[in-house]
Amino acid sequence: MTSLDRSRLARLHERERAAFTAARPRSRELAERARAHMPGGVPMSWMVKWPGDFPVFVESAAGAHFTCVDGIDHVDLCLGDTGAMMGHSPAATVDAVTRQLSRGITTMLPTEDAIAVSTGLAERFGLPYWQFTLTATDANRHAIRYARLLTGRSKVVVHNWCYHGSVDEAFATLGEGGTTVDRPSNIGAPVPTSETTRVVEFNDLEALERALAHGDVAAILVEPALTNIGIVLPDEGYNEGVRELATRYGALLINDETHTICAGPGGYTRAHDLHPDLLVIGKSIGGGIPCGTFGFTAEIADRIACSVELEDIDVGGIGGTLAGNGLSMAAMKATLEQVMTPAAFEHMVPLADAWADGVQAGIDAVGADWHVTRLGARAEYNFSHTPSHDGQEAHDSDDFELQQYLHLYALNRGILLTPFHNMALMCPDTTTADVDAHSAMFRECVEELFS
Ligand SMILES: Cc1ncc(COP(=O)(O)O)c(C=O)c1O
């Protein structure tokens, strides 16, 4: 296997940083102005982590591409980290949202669209009842709260190195001897996560059973395949085993499909006939308009109805005045019915395979000790020889310096990858030419890096 020369990487990285800055005078100027009233010159702190000395400012985005303020066209393989999985500004969503904009944006009252959306979600995911939020993060928070209410238990089980949005309970990792420790980046945690959370490795049913045996677990919150520490696929029978243990130990199972929706129109859950008690999704189902939702069984709906007093219902920790607003509902109705269709996935999944094949060809050409993992319309390469079996393995194979370089190299050639991963997502507008552009770019990149 070919090994990486770190000093060469550092030299090449300097070259790419200079090229990035030279090609983007307008983004640079905006980034400097932006610093006056936004720390780091960015609207959200994590945006400073994009490769290059300042973020690329977007002029416009359509379908699978965006143009930056310096007039450079980009193939967008990040797609808002799934928020734009159905392409930027899909026509049906834009039409529906445009109509709704002049008919009232938010009223705290339902619109008729809510009936179509909840009915469509029930058919798609197989759970009969739905409630709405503005983000997947909030949907996860609410699902956890209901699980605590219904079980009378306090703890949540999550996978090591999971990500479910800014959910307090989920910023935990696995410590020595199965203990729970705060994730290093956990900012201002309300209480130590050891009080709220038990952490288990993905694909480890024995550890899950040990965690559940304490008898204090309200919910198991999972992605049915990990997507946020690289892609980690489940062993055969793993998700079924999680289901069985949840039932046996009286914990509710929450499948977070926010990213694994890339597996098909009904997400990983439907593609693999899984049966969670609750299901969370956000981002893509509104075509990019803020929305989130969680679905649950009839039994849970009945138990909630018996447990919450009407008088207290608005102050019980589940809510949001903007939740279920007319604009989000119009966006979800149009996106779910007209854009996120089986036909769209029939286009997207083969393109993700073609992308993975292109990357694999580049890896093979230079003999790099890397591998590619596929998950429906999404694929990713990692810096280890074999696919990771759990979150820790995936975490340990990460290489921040190398990753930043590869992302910058791609960006300088008009291709945006998902940040913090080497991940690509296809949308209904992605073309074979877009994928081929990535394959050619990747091959040149690794050939130079390993030459
Ligand atoms: C699996 C998963 N769940 C939930 C979220 C949170 O989504 P949002 O940032 O829209 O709240 C994310 C975000 O990346 C995610 O990956």
Side-chain angles (χ1 to χ4, degrees):
M1 287 291 165
T2 319
S3 63
L4 185 66
D5 176 345
R6 290 278 160 186
S7 57
R8 180 179 185 78
L9 173 63
R11 263 197 326 278
L12 292 172
H13 203 160
E14 276 314 301
R15 181 193 72 191
E16 293 300 320
R17 280 179 61 198
F20 177 86
T21 302
R24 299 175 191 268
R26 178 87 178 122
S27 268
R28 183 185 186 178
E29 183 198 325
L30 294 183
E32 272 160 22
R33 265 175 54 205
R35 285 196 182 97
H37 296 291
M38 291 184 286
V42 288
M44 177 43 76
S45 51
W46 55 258
M47 289 186 194
V48 296
K49 226 172 146 184
W50 282 106
D53 291 358
F54 46 85
V56 172
F57 280 67
V58 174
E59 181 67 36
S60 64
H65 286 236
F66 75 89
T67 306
C68 72
V69 290
D70 289 287
I72 304 167
D73 171 56
H74 297 75
V75 177
D76 189 355
L77 297 171
C78 166
L79 295 168
D81 192 15
T82 316
M85 187 179 93
M86 300 327 293
H88 291 292
S89 303
T93 312
V94 169
D95 287 351
V97 164
T98 307
R99 268 195 312 279
Q100 189 62 37
L101 277 173
S102 57
R103 301 176 72 220
I105 295 168
T106 187
T107 58
M108 288 176 76
L109 289 166
T111 54
E112 191 171 345
D113 285 348
I115 300 172
V117 174
S118 53
T119 305
L121 289 168
E123 284 163 6
R124 189 179 281 260
F125 293 111
L127 286 166
Y129 289 103
W130 293 83
Q131 292 282 275
F132 295 89
T133 60
L134 284 188
T135 63
T137 298
D138 267 349
N140 277 321
R141 285 192 186 124
H142 294 2
I144 289 171
R145 275 185 171 255
Y146 276 134
R148 287 202 175 108
L149 172 79
L150 299 183
T151 59
R153 299 170 173 187
S154 63
K155 289 222 163 59
V156 177
V157 167
V158 297
H159 285 126
N160 200 21
W161 296 107
C162 68
Y163 184 73
H164 295 281
S166 44
V167 173
D168 289 324
E169 290 85 347
F171 286 107
T173 53
L174 194 54
E176 294 281 314
T179 53
T180 299
V181 292
D182 280 4
R183 203 171 157 140
S185 57
N186 198 352
I187 298 168
V191 293
T193 50
S194 55
E195 289 183 26
T196 60
T197 310
R198 292 187 196 288
V199 184
V200 299
E201 282 296 2
F202 195 73
N203 279 327
D204 188 345
L205 289 172
E206 282 173 18
L208 178 61
E209 179 154 17
R210 282 196 300 278
L212 294 171
H214 291 272
D216 56 2
V217 173
I220 309 170
L221 172 61
V222 302
E223 282 194 288
L226 295 183
T227 67
N228 282 301
I229 186 73
I231 297 171
V232 183
L233 299 176
D235 288 345
E236 194 157 341
Y238 177 65
N239 281 304
E240 292 74 8
V242 173
R243 170 68 276 172
E244 201 270 307
L245 288 173
T247 307
R248 185 161 4 129
Y249 287 92
L252 294 176
L253 175 60
I254 308 169
N255 275 13
D256 180 351
E257 283 283 357
T258 305
H259 277 185
T260 45
I261 185 66
C262 62
Y268 201 94
T269 293
R270 262 302 161 93
H272 295 267
D273 193 27
L274 305 180
H275 298 276
D277 299 297
L278 299 104
L279 185 145
V280 165
I281 186 162
K283 300 204 202 188
S284 59
I285 58 169
I289 297 291
C291 65
T293 183
F294 57 106
F296 40 91
T297 60
E299 190 205 334
I300 290 180
D302 288 346
R303 286 167 65 195
I304 292 172
C306 296
S307 313
V308 183
E309 294 295 328
L310 180 64
E311 196 178 336
D312 300 330
I313 216 161
D314 58 330
V315 287
I318 307 275
T321 49
L322 291 169
N325 70 77
L327 194 71
S328 298
M329 285 298 174
M332 281 187 276
K333 179 175 186 300
T335 308
L336 288 165
E337 290 179 357
Q338 298 175 60
V339 192
M340 195 182 268
T341 58
F345 283 89
E346 279 159 28
H347 173 80
M348 290 149 64
V349 173
L351 282 176
D353 278 331
W355 184 89
D357 290 344
V359 172
Q360 190 65 58
I363 292 173
D364 293 344
V366 297
D369 207 7
W370 302 354
H371 75 271
V372 191
T373 309
R374 302 161 195 241
L375 180 59
R378 189 189 296 284
E380 171 157 53
Y381 56 93
N382 260 54
F383 309 127
S384 65
H385 185 56
T386 49
S388 306
H389 188 247
D390 59 37
Q392 192 63 46
E393 268 183 41
H395 175 264
D396 293 347
S397 70
D398 196 17
D399 184 328
F400 185 63
E401 184 191 15
L402 178 57
Q403 192 185 98
Q404 291 292 92
Y405 170 70
L406 292 164
H407 280 240
L408 189 57
Y409 187 100
L411 202 48
N412 282 342
R413 286 144 190 90
I415 298 177
L416 186 75
L417 292 163
T418 308
F420 328 137
H421 302 271
N422 309 303
M423 186 145 77
L425 183 62
M426 308 296 136
C427 76
D429 308 284
T430 309
T431 62
T432 302
D434 295 334
V435 170
D436 290 347
H438 180 272
S439 301
M441 177 282 298
F442 181 78
R443 176 89 174 235
E444 277 169 28
C445 176
V446 289
E447 278 179 353
E448 184 183 39
L449 191 58
F450 288 103
S451 63

